[in-house]
Amino acid sequence: MKYISTRGGISPVSFKEAVMMGLATDGGLLLPESIPSVSAKTVEGWRGLNYQDLAHEILSLFVDDIPADDLRDLIESSYRNFNHPEITPTVKVGEVFVLELFHGPTLAFKDVALQFLGNVFEYLLQESGSKMNILGATSGDTGSAAIYGVRGKKGINIFILHPHKRVSRIQERQMTTVIDPNVFNIAFRGTFDDGQAIVKSIFNDIPFKDKYHLGAINSINWARIVAQIVYYIYAALRVIGDTGAGKVDFSVPTGNFGDIFAGYLARRLTPRLIGNLVLATNENDLLSRFVLNGEYAVGSVVQTSSPSMDIQVASNFERYLYYLHEGNQKKVAGDLKIFAETGSLKFDPAQQEKIRKVFLSRSISEEETLATISSFDRDGYLLDPHTAVGVRAGLDFKKEGTPMICLATAHPAKFGDAVLRATGHEPDLPASLADLANRDARCEVMDAKAETVRDFVSSHALK
Ligand SMILES: *Cc1c(COP(=O)(O)O)cnc(C)c1O
């Protein structure tokens, strides 16, 4: 399988090259040259497989330059740190099914992809004898999942910036208590935007970037998307097996469009299993407006109780745009140019029809989010606020006879404040994190200056 850029400006690359490239060198995003076709018989054969075996089958469709045994080892070690034998179990709660994606080491769905990406990075670096220094800024969640993805890995150092005293206590502890020698937490005195600006300016210093082999861990790496396809198909097979239903629908709490895009690919691979995808947003309704009105237009960000979905532009949207334009890369590049100039894109009625054949959408208010947490709590199941957004939208679109599988993207304990506000009680930390407050921690506190951060990185980087 070769990979191409959504904008058509690179010659096809292999899976390994796609992973190391991250963002395509023409500024576009990488996608497989074609979507593999999977026969009904093959899907039938997937039914009884455990998570790791299914992951191996699906990843093998997209990865042909890593030997099968090595790929299997990478998958095994990626899911060894999960706290549930099923990795991503599905449970029936009231009218819906909840696909629990939070059994990984940082209790968020990002672990599913970042545990895999960390292992793939290490494998490829070992093979080529090179090194990598990962640099990123976080407002909380992605940082800890990235740190856990690469802690202790050979050939990789990671530097994660977070705004000092401006992330939640549990988020701060999750990051700073990872004291492996290859992990560097930097708390800077400033806001999250300052952190992003610092990272951006360091990446823009090309000689520095090249000298220290700087790499990023963000949601646009193809390896993350492909790892996320697995749980859609796994859950669909389980729920169809248990209920005898023909198809299932999914509801996905959405921010950067990475997770639901993996769902879109899962649907393309197994159209007999998957019906509609409900794109659930919080009050940052950019993507809901896209589905409902055919307009993709930036607004301003509002803060909600589901901060991982408080976004202004959706970094993976361009990948869907490629399929909406039926692989016409000129049209994709043209649209992005218009978007960069005007801040908005408008889609015609035929395109809108195509979008709404797959996606349903609703934007969920803060009030509805908290009310959903509280009503599920009365039935004995705690939802985190991101999951609650997806569950609320999922209930609205549930069809008789079609199971609605709602993705649970974070453990409620990660967003204890919102849960407390909704229910009057705070969720318990799971056993794996019960001693978080007492662990040793390591963190460098510094001013929000690009020079200071750059000096720190250069003196601690792997060379
Ligand atoms: C990142 C994240 C999301 C949004 O996922 P996207 O792939 O950005 O759409 C939803 N919920 C939680 C808890 C997250 O961390």
Side-chain angles (χ1 to χ4, degrees):
M1 176 67 76
K2 292 281 185 199
Y3 291 85
I4 50 152
S5 163
T6 46
R7 301 188 193 177
I10 66 165
S11 29
V13 296
S14 69
F15 173 79
K16 288 184 193 173
E17 289 168 320
V19 173
M20 295 316 288
M21 200 178 266
L23 191 70
T25 45
D26 64 353
L29 302 185
L30 295 161
L31 278 175
E33 212 165 34
S34 62
I35 296 179
S37 64
V38 183
S39 70
K41 195 161 154 267
T42 302
V43 175
E44 205 45 49
W46 287 351
R47 265 179 202 282
L49 299 184
N50 72 15
Y51 189 91
Q52 290 87 337
D53 289 342
L54 181 67
H56 191 252
E57 293 295 317
I58 294 171
L59 293 178
S60 299
L61 300 169
F62 294 95
V63 183
D64 57 9
D65 54 351
I66 294 179
D69 285 348
D70 291 359
L71 184 60
R72 182 168 291 279
D73 288 347
L74 290 169
I75 292 167
E76 289 294 336
S77 44
S78 300
Y79 300 113
R80 201 167 286 143
N81 297 331
F82 278 61
N83 277 323
H84 196 286
E86 281 213 75
I87 314 302
T88 63
T90 303
V91 293
K92 178 98 203 286
V93 187
E95 295 291 293
V96 296
F97 290 84
V98 176
L99 168 52
E100 296 182 342
L101 300 173
F102 53 69
H103 293 283
T106 75
L107 311 181
F109 95 98
K110 292 189 171 69
D111 289 327
V112 178
L114 286 171
Q115 287 288 308
F116 179 67
L117 181 63
N119 283 312
V120 174
F121 273 153
E122 180 182 51
Y123 176 85
L124 299 182
L125 292 166
Q126 295 269 92
E127 192 178 61
S128 64
S130 28
K131 308 238 182 322
M132 180 174 184
N133 292 291
I134 293 170
L135 173 66
T138 186
S139 53
D141 243 17
T142 316
S144 59
I147 288 171
Y148 272 83
V150 304
R151 68 183 298 183
K153 299 269 181 278
K154 295 185 210 75
I156 306 176
N157 277 2
I158 183 165
F159 300 84
I160 294 291
L161 279 64
H162 71 264
H164 188 47
K165 302 283 175 217
R166 293 188 195 215
V167 298
S168 78
R169 182 79 186 140
I170 168 165
Q171 285 174 334
E172 183 197 315
R173 295 293 298 174
Q174 274 190 307
M175 292 190 280
T176 58
T177 57
V178 182
I179 52 175
D180 299 64
N182 71 329
V183 173
F184 299 90
N185 278 287
I186 298 173
F188 57 89
R189 298 180 194 93
T191 64
F192 172 59
D193 289 342
D194 296 333
Q196 284 211 302
I198 292 172
V199 167
K200 206 168 160 190
S201 88
I202 298 179
F203 271 100
N204 283 339
D205 181 347
I206 304 296
F208 186 89
K209 174 171 178 268
D210 290 346
K211 181 168 176 199
Y212 293 105
H213 306 284
L214 287 194
I217 282 207
N218 41 34
S219 69
I220 52 84
N221 197 296
W222 168 252
R224 285 182 68 173
I225 303 285
V226 76
Q228 294 179 171
I229 296 174
V230 177
Y231 50 72
Y232 283 93
I233 298 179
Y234 183 74
L237 288 169
R238 284 287 140 112
V239 171
I240 288 171
D242 289 349
T243 60
K247 275 189 184 186
V248 295
D249 292 336
F250 282 96
S251 181
V252 189
T254 296
N256 274 314
F257 206 82
D259 198 2
I260 199 166
F261 179 71
Y264 173 77
L265 291 178
R267 185 180 183 275
R268 295 280 302 256
L269 286 177
T270 58
R272 287 177 203 80
L273 305 182
I274 302 175
N276 284 119
L277 300 172
V278 177
L279 191 163
T281 65
N282 63 24
E283 290 176 1
N284 294 285
D285 63 350
L286 162 80
L287 290 167
S288 288
R289 283 183 283 124
F290 164 69
V291 174
L292 299 174
N293 315 329
E295 191 171 26
Y296 183 76
V298 284
S300 52
V301 177
V302 295
Q303 278 191 7
T304 70
S305 57
S306 45
S308 300
M309 293 154 42
D310 293 346
I311 53 108
Q312 197 170 12
V313 285
S315 53
N316 275 288
F317 178 73
E318 182 171 344
R319 286 193 158 111
Y320 175 65
L321 200 54
Y322 171 88
Y323 293 113
L324 186 59
H325 286 316
E326 276 153 19
N328 186 327
Q329 293 153 312
K330 280 213 174 69
K331 281 193 183 163
V332 176
D335 271 3
L336 287 160
K337 194 156 169 275
I338 296 172
F339 183 72
E341 282 160 10
T342 65
S344 92
L345 288 174
K346 184 82 194 138
F347 297 89
D348 67 33
Q351 289 168 323
Q352 290 189 37
E353 202 185 310
K354 218 161 122 185
I355 298 163
R356 290 199 280 265
K357 248 181 102 165
V358 180
F359 298 101
L360 307 165
S361 188
R362 258 205 66 194
S363 154
I364 305 299
S365 70
E366 279 293 279
E367 206 181 323
E368 288 174 295
T369 305
L370 296 185
T372 306
I373 297 175
S374 142
S375 107
F376 271 64
D377 177 49
R378 284 196 293 275
D379 292 334
Y381 192 88
L382 269 186
L383 303 169
D384 103 284
H386 303 78
T387 305
V389 166
V391 165
R392 177 65 259 164
L395 283 167
D396 287 348
F397 290 110
K398 176 154 176 26
K399 306 179 206 101
E400 192 56 41
T402 306
M404 176 61 75
I405 304 179
C406 301
L407 273 57
T409 51
H411 189 285
K414 281 205 91 159
F415 297 92
D417 290 351
V419 174
L420 177 64
R421 252 182 294 140
T423 65
H425 63 91
E426 207 163 344
D428 294 330
L429 274 182
S432 63
L433 291 186
D435 66 336
L436 195 63
N438 307 322
R439 292 182 196 167
D440 288 342
R442 191 157 60 85
C443 182
E444 213 62 46
V445 182
M446 57 184 77
D447 286 339
K449 286 207 186 94
E451 264 167 53
T452 317
V453 175
R454 190 171 27 217
D455 289 347
F456 182 83
V457 171
S458 65
S459 55
H460 295 86
L462 281 177
K463 284 151 200 142

